[in-house]
PDB file of all heavy atoms in Angstrom:
ATOM      1  N   ALA A 129       0.945   1.720  -4.794  1.00  0.00           N
ATOM      2  CA  ALA A 129       2.092   2.397  -4.190  1.00  0.00           C
ATOM      3  C   ALA A 129       2.781   1.493  -3.171  1.00  0.00           C
ATOM      4  O   ALA A 129       4.008   1.427  -3.117  1.00  0.00           O
ATOM      5  CB  ALA A 129       1.651   3.699  -3.530  1.00  0.00           C
ATOM      6  N   LYS A 131       2.781  -1.813  -3.147  1.00  0.00           N
ATOM      7  CA  LYS A 131       3.462  -2.886  -3.870  1.00  0.00           C
ATOM      8  C   LYS A 131       4.767  -2.390  -4.488  1.00  0.00           C
ATOM      9  O   LYS A 131       5.776  -3.098  -4.460  1.00  0.00           O
ATOM     10  CB  LYS A 131       2.539  -3.464  -4.940  1.00  0.00           C
ATOM     11  CG  LYS A 131       1.381  -4.230  -4.330  1.00  0.00           C
ATOM     12  CD  LYS A 131       0.406  -4.731  -5.373  1.00  0.00           C
ATOM     13  CE  LYS A 131      -0.776  -5.399  -4.708  1.00  0.00           C
ATOM     14  NZ  LYS A 131      -1.788  -5.821  -5.656  1.00  0.00           N
ATOM     15  N   LEU A 132       4.772  -1.178  -5.028  1.00  0.00           N
ATOM     16  CA  LEU A 132       5.993  -0.611  -5.594  1.00  0.00           C
ATOM     17  C   LEU A 132       7.045  -0.420  -4.512  1.00  0.00           C
ATOM     18  O   LEU A 132       8.218  -0.714  -4.718  1.00  0.00           O
ATOM     19  CB  LEU A 132       5.692   0.732  -6.275  1.00  0.00           C
ATOM     20  CG  LEU A 132       4.912   0.658  -7.582  1.00  0.00           C
ATOM     21  CD1 LEU A 132       4.544   2.058  -8.045  1.00  0.00           C
ATOM     22  CD2 LEU A 132       5.719  -0.050  -8.654  1.00  0.00           C
ATOM     23  N   ASN A 133       6.634   0.065  -3.360  1.00  0.00           N
ATOM     24  CA  ASN A 133       7.575   0.246  -2.255  1.00  0.00           C
ATOM     25  C   ASN A 133       8.146  -1.087  -1.796  1.00  0.00           C
ATOM     26  O   ASN A 133       9.324  -1.186  -1.477  1.00  0.00           O
ATOM     27  CB  ASN A 133       6.907   0.967  -1.080  1.00  0.00           C
ATOM     28  CG  ASN A 133       6.681   2.436  -1.369  1.00  0.00           C
ATOM     29  OD1 ASN A 133       7.377   3.028  -2.180  1.00  0.00           O
ATOM     30  ND2 ASN A 133       5.716   3.034  -0.698  1.00  0.00           N
ATOM     31  N   ASP A 134       7.308  -2.119  -1.755  1.00  0.00           N
ATOM     32  CA  ASP A 134       7.779  -3.457  -1.392  1.00  0.00           C
ATOM     33  C   ASP A 134       8.824  -3.969  -2.381  1.00  0.00           C
ATOM     34  O   ASP A 134       9.832  -4.549  -1.999  1.00  0.00           O
ATOM     35  CB  ASP A 134       6.615  -4.445  -1.293  1.00  0.00           C
ATOM     36  CG  ASP A 134       5.715  -4.185  -0.100  1.00  0.00           C
ATOM     37  OD1 ASP A 134       6.091  -3.394   0.790  1.00  0.00           O
ATOM     38  OD2 ASP A 134       4.620  -4.787  -0.069  1.00  0.00           O
ATOM     39  N   LEU A 135       8.574  -3.742  -3.665  1.00  0.00           N
ATOM     40  CA  LEU A 135       9.518  -4.182  -4.683  1.00  0.00           C
ATOM     41  C   LEU A 135      10.855  -3.440  -4.543  1.00  0.00           C
ATOM     42  O   LEU A 135      11.924  -4.039  -4.657  1.00  0.00           O
ATOM     43  CB  LEU A 135       8.944  -3.930  -6.089  1.00  0.00           C
ATOM     44  CG  LEU A 135       7.846  -4.880  -6.531  1.00  0.00           C
ATOM     45  CD1 LEU A 135       7.258  -4.421  -7.857  1.00  0.00           C
ATOM     46  CD2 LEU A 135       8.369  -6.298  -6.653  1.00  0.00           C
ATOM     47  N   ARG A 136      10.784  -2.142  -4.284  1.00  0.00           N
ATOM     48  CA  ARG A 136      12.011  -1.365  -4.104  1.00  0.00           C
ATOM     49  C   ARG A 136      12.790  -1.884  -2.895  1.00  0.00           C
ATOM     50  O   ARG A 136      14.007  -1.975  -2.931  1.00  0.00           O
ATOM     51  CB  ARG A 136      11.686   0.115  -3.900  1.00  0.00           C
ATOM     52  CG  ARG A 136      11.262   0.799  -5.163  1.00  0.00           C
ATOM     53  CD  ARG A 136      11.157   2.303  -4.942  1.00  0.00           C
ATOM     54  NE  ARG A 136      10.414   2.902  -6.024  1.00  0.00           N
ATOM     55  CZ  ARG A 136       9.235   3.498  -5.886  1.00  0.00           C
ATOM     56  NH1 ARG A 136       8.672   3.615  -4.717  1.00  0.00           N
ATOM     57  NH2 ARG A 136       8.622   4.012  -6.928  1.00  0.00           N
ATOM     58  N   ALA A 137      12.101  -2.198  -1.831  1.00  0.00           N
ATOM     59  CA  ALA A 137      12.742  -2.668  -0.597  1.00  0.00           C
ATOM     60  C   ALA A 137      13.443  -4.014  -0.830  1.00  0.00           C
ATOM     61  O   ALA A 137      14.509  -4.273  -0.270  1.00  0.00           O
ATOM     62  CB  ALA A 137      11.726  -2.789   0.517  1.00  0.00           C
ATOM     63  N   LYS A 138      12.877  -4.871  -1.661  1.00  0.00           N
ATOM     64  CA  LYS A 138      13.459  -6.182  -1.922  1.00  0.00           C
ATOM     65  C   LYS A 138      14.749  -6.069  -2.743  1.00  0.00           C
ATOM     66  O   LYS A 138      15.637  -6.892  -2.619  1.00  0.00           O
ATOM     67  CB  LYS A 138      12.462  -7.075  -2.655  1.00  0.00           C
ATOM     68  CG  LYS A 138      11.353  -7.552  -1.769  1.00  0.00           C
ATOM     69  CD  LYS A 138      10.385  -8.440  -2.532  1.00  0.00           C
ATOM     70  CE  LYS A 138       9.218  -8.847  -1.649  1.00  0.00           C
ATOM     71  NZ  LYS A 138       8.232  -9.638  -2.370  1.00  0.00           N
ATOM     72  N   LYS A 139      14.840  -5.056  -3.598  1.00  0.00           N
ATOM     73  CA  LYS A 139      16.022  -4.905  -4.457  1.00  0.00           C
ATOM     74  C   LYS A 139      17.225  -4.392  -3.689  1.00  0.00           C
ATOM     75  O   LYS A 139      18.350  -4.554  -4.124  1.00  0.00           O
ATOM     76  CB  LYS A 139      15.700  -3.966  -5.625  1.00  0.00           C
ATOM     77  CG  LYS A 139      14.752  -4.584  -6.627  1.00  0.00           C
ATOM     78  CD  LYS A 139      14.528  -3.684  -7.811  1.00  0.00           C
ATOM     79  CE  LYS A 139      13.621  -4.340  -8.820  1.00  0.00           C
ATOM     80  NZ  LYS A 139      13.366  -3.490  -9.983  1.00  0.00           N
ATOM     81  N   ILE A 140      17.000  -3.767  -2.570  1.00  0.00           N
ATOM     82  CA  ILE A 140      18.102  -3.171  -1.793  1.00  0.00           C
ATOM     83  C   ILE A 140      18.677  -4.207  -0.836  1.00  0.00           C
ATOM     84  O   ILE A 140      17.989  -5.019  -0.297  1.00  0.00           O
ATOM     85  CB  ILE A 140      17.626  -1.921  -1.027  1.00  0.00           C
ATOM     86  CG1 ILE A 140      17.217  -0.863  -2.023  1.00  0.00           C
ATOM     87  CG2 ILE A 140      18.707  -1.400  -0.108  1.00  0.00           C
ATOM     88  CD1 ILE A 140      16.569   0.354  -1.427  1.00  0.00           C
TER      89      ILE A 140
END
Side-chain angles (χ1 to χ4, degrees):
K131 291 176 184 176
L132 288 173
N133 287 335
D134 290 348
L135 286 173
R136 286 189 195 115
K138 287 180 184 177
K139 290 184 178 179
I140 296 173

